[in-house]
Amino acid sequence: MAAKNTTFSLLFGLILLGVSHLNQINALSSNYYDQTCPQAESTITSVVKKAMLNDRRVPAALLRMHFHDCFIRGCDGSVLLNSTANNKAEKDGPPNISLHAFYVIDHAKKAVEALCPKTVSCADILALAARDAVTLSGGPTWDVPKGRKDGRVSKATETRQLPGPTFNISQLQQSFAQRGLSIDDLVALSGGHTLGFSHCSSFQNRIHNFAAKQSVDPTLQSSFAASLKSVCPAQNTPKNAGANLDSTPTTFDNRYYKLLLQGKSIFSSDQSLVTMANSRTLVSKFASSKQEFEKAFVKSMIKMSSINGGQEVRLDCRVVN
Ligand SMILES: *[C@@H]1O[C@H](CO)[C@@H](O)[C@H](O)[C@H]1NC(C)=O
Ligand SMILES: *[C@@H]1O[C@H](CO)[C@@H](O)[C@H](O)[C@H]1NC(C)=O
Ligand SMILES: *[C@@H]1O[C@H](CO)[C@@H](O)[C@H](O)[C@H]1NC(C)=O
């Protein structure tokens, strides 16, 4: 009995040691800056609010930037780093066409540094700005766990690890699973496509030369496909041409899922969510209840934005210390 107890407590002790060691790497908590920078959150919110008033595309950009950040090396602000003479950074990698509004994070960082120098990481600022982007677009709000650290590495080649717009359900599932994210997370986070716009290049696979005998993806509703084709002709597509990801691109709502069920999604990866029974069930659930979508989205955002990353608090979000 005694021996059993010893073994038990030894094991338990080792587990505790393991967990506390992990927690020391990046202990995220909702009140992380309560003592050191209590005004951080409200300061970031005002910067995001102001930027949105000048440019309605800002919320979508911030949400996407946070997503890209977390999927490569964890949520460590690696997406924010500039390229250097010897290194091409993530932001100069191929999928960067959807990335912009880096200046909003710069403004927020500057404002926060003025209040509490060397305290708030760029990765946390981005996570908070992404939450604000959702809330200020009519979506839910939530407490963002904080305490992320900024990383020192950003490589353009690693953007290949991002799930792509032409991915099918198994490729998406695998990409999410590699980051500890489930099918539920995949379907809920895809709802981020309620905000924003896509250039033609990300969905041309569905409207031009789809297959040998069909030029258009047959899962696309036909008049919708025709309208996509007219804004993105095969030849001489205007450089900035594209389509909104749903019909209310500046409002965070569940319209994306409703359109998806009608064959009016933009990406192959969106459409793929209805090709498997369990993901399709979730799409239907979110299409019929904005509340269910919001609840699931918040849960998955917290999970995704807790993927561990870096080790320092950068002074300038575009360069390592
Ligand atoms: C980062 O790059 C942008 C343009 O790509 C430039 O305007 C800015 O000055 C650079 N910042 C730093 C700190 O190198
Ligand atoms: C995307 O990458 C290209 C090529 O490196 C670069 O010229 C461009 O400035 C980048 N775009 C953004 C928004 O960073
Ligand atoms: C998804 O694409 C991969 C790679 O092209 C392929 O091997 C796989 O069978 C596809 N899965 C589905 C469900 O279509």
Side-chain angles (χ1 to χ4, degrees):
M1 196 64 198
K4 224 174 175 179
N5 272 340
T6 312
T7 313
F8 176 75
S9 49
L10 188 68
L11 260 179
F12 197 56
L14 282 174
I15 290 165
L16 277 181
L17 199 70
V19 169
S20 68
H21 176 66
L22 270 180
N23 282 344
Q24 270 163 14
I25 297 172
N26 268 333
L28 301 189
S29 95
S30 292
N31 48 16
Y32 192 83
Y33 296 117
D34 280 5
Q35 305 303 320
T36 55
C37 199
Q39 297 133 284
E41 295 207 19
S42 58
T43 304
I44 294 163
T45 305
S46 343
V47 170
V48 172
K49 224 181 237 176
K50 198 169 151 201
M52 275 177 72
L53 290 176
N54 288 325
D55 182 353
R56 297 288 284 153
R57 301 170 310 157
V58 159
L62 293 172
L63 185 56
R64 203 130 304 139
M65 208 189 289
H66 180 47
F67 181 83
H68 281 225
D69 188 27
C70 294
F71 263 63
I72 302 175
R73 294 182 174 270
C75 315
D76 68 340
S78 56
V79 70
L80 304 170
L81 287 171
N82 271 12
S83 292
T84 63
N86 307 318
N87 181 60
K88 197 170 170 193
E90 283 172 36
K91 68 164 67 153
D92 291 318
N96 77 349
I97 195 163
S98 64
L99 294 177
H100 59 101
F102 291 102
Y103 71 92
V104 181
I105 301 302
D106 292 334
H107 288 179
K109 176 67 170 173
K110 208 170 159 196
V112 169
E113 282 297 304
L115 289 171
C116 15
K118 304 179 189 173
T119 304
V120 184
S121 67
C122 297
D124 273 348
I125 291 175
L126 181 51
L128 288 163
R131 188 271 319 269
D132 290 340
V134 168
T135 311
L136 295 168
S137 301
T141 192
W142 65 95
D143 261 349
V144 176
K146 294 161 290 280
R148 293 168 194 77
K149 292 289 187 286
D150 299 320
R152 298 179 52 83
V153 177
S154 177
K155 293 191 180 302
T157 51
E158 292 181 350
T159 55
R160 284 196 211 109
Q161 299 166 12
L162 289 166
T166 61
F167 273 20
N168 65 31
I169 191 70
S170 32
Q171 293 169 309
L172 287 173
Q173 199 174 354
Q174 190 185 3
S175 172
F176 275 65
Q178 280 164 358
R179 283 131 183 120
L181 300 171
S182 66
I183 286 278
D184 291 36
D185 298 318
L186 165 63
V187 179
L189 292 172
S190 294
H193 289 164
T194 177
L195 296 178
F197 169 89
S198 166
H199 290 91
C200 297
S201 57
S202 300
F203 58 86
Q204 64 183 0
N205 67 309
R206 301 186 80 190
I207 52 171
H208 299 300
N209 309 316
F210 175 75
K213 288 196 179 129
Q214 286 168 305
S215 75
V216 169
D217 181 343
T219 62
L220 276 173
Q221 194 261 359
S222 60
S223 61
F224 184 70
S227 75
L228 292 181
K229 266 187 119 152
S230 75
V231 286
C232 308
Q235 256 90 46
N236 304 320
T237 294
K239 191 165 171 284
N240 290 318
N244 290 324
L245 298 182
D246 80 2
S247 54
T248 51
T250 59
T251 304
F252 192 96
D253 56 18
N254 63 341
R255 183 77 55 96
Y256 162 81
Y257 297 102
K258 294 181 186 183
L259 294 171
L260 185 44
L261 292 174
Q262 297 166 24
K264 295 177 180 171
S265 64
I266 300 295
F267 303 130
S268 298
S269 58
D270 296 323
Q271 174 61 28
S272 80
L273 301 179
V274 300
T275 61
M276 193 175 67
N278 52 348
S279 54
R280 191 188 167 89
T281 303
L282 288 169
V283 169
S284 303
K285 179 165 136 184
F286 298 157
S288 56
S289 167
K290 183 171 188 257
Q291 263 174 324
E292 289 292 342
F293 164 48
E294 291 188 344
K295 203 168 79 185
F297 183 80
V298 166
K299 190 170 157 219
S300 296
M301 275 295 278
I302 291 173
K303 199 165 154 193
M304 179 194 76
S305 81
S306 303
I307 303 173
N308 253 320
Q311 59 283 123
E312 65 184 25
V313 173
R314 240 175 256 155
L315 300 180
D316 176 333
C317 293
R318 293 175 184 260
V319 283
V320 297
N321 290 345

